[in-house]
């Protein structure tokens, strides 16, 4: 799965860069959104057919979408409880470290100790 993830990521980055480049290279062909309502031909978006740049941009957009879905599928977590369990374990380990630090620094100056159950002993 790691090789597939790296391959998809490389394709994704290349598609992103080429897509930006293709959009910047294209010139405006038409009046923009005003041409849609102005008419001029029988098709709803004007009479021009796509040239090589617009077709290549469409292909790059499809590759971009497919690789983004592929990356999301490859990098998904199998179970949300694993994430919550890992966060809970990390929180407990940090809490234990803090309690140990508190007990080690305050044992000489105070008679109060905190055990791992969060109860205070005197």
């Amino acid at each position: 799965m790691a090789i597939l993830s790296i391959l998809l990521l490389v394709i994704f980055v290349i598609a992103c860069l080429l897509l930006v480049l293709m959009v910047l290279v294209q010139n405006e062909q038409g009046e923009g959104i005003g041409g849609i309502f102005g008419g001029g031909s029988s098709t709803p978006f004007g009479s021009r057919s796509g040239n090589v740049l617009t077709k290549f941009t469409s292909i790059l957009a499809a590759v971009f979408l497919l690789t983004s879905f592929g990356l999301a599928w490859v990098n998904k977590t199998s179970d949300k409880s694993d994430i919550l369990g890992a966060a809970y374990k990390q929180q407990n380990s940090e809490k234990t470290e803090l309690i140990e630090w508190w007990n080690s620094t305050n044992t000489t100056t105070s008679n109060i100790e905190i055990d791992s159950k969060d109860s205070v002993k005197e």
Side-chain angles (χ1 to χ4, degrees):
M1 275 301 201
I3 294 173
L4 180 64
S5 178
I6 292 171
L7 181 67
L8 282 173
L9 186 63
V10 168
I11 293 171
F12 182 74
V13 170
I14 291 171
C16 289
L17 294 175
L18 287 176
L19 189 60
V20 168
L21 185 71
M22 286 294 111
V23 169
L24 290 176
V25 167
Q26 293 178 14
N27 60 355
E28 290 184 38
Q29 298 174 350
E31 305 91 29
I33 199 161
I36 294 173
F37 302 110
S41 82
S42 62
T43 61
F45 297 109
S47 62
R48 63 172 184 227
S49 62
N51 60 10
V52 175
L53 287 177
T54 57
K55 289 181 182 178
F56 188 62
T57 304
S58 300
I59 292 170
L60 282 174
V63 169
F64 173 80
L65 286 174
L66 290 174
T67 54
S68 62
F69 285 132
L71 282 169
W73 179 71
V74 167
N75 293 324
K76 71 177 181 173
T77 57
S78 60
D79 191 13
K80 290 183 181 178
S81 65
D82 292 342
I83 296 171
L84 295 175
Y88 182 73
K89 288 178 186 177
Q90 181 181 4
Q91 183 182 14
N92 277 345
S93 67
E94 291 172 357
K95 186 177 179 181
T96 305
E97 290 174 9
L98 182 62
I99 290 171
E100 289 172 359
W101 172 81
W102 177 262
N103 286 336
S104 68
T105 57
N106 290 328
T107 54
T108 57
T109 60
S110 173
N111 292 334
I112 299 175
E113 278 190 29
I114 300 174
D115 65 359
S116 62
K117 305 269 192 224
D118 290 341
S119 60
V120 177
K121 296 179 182 179
E122 289 191 36

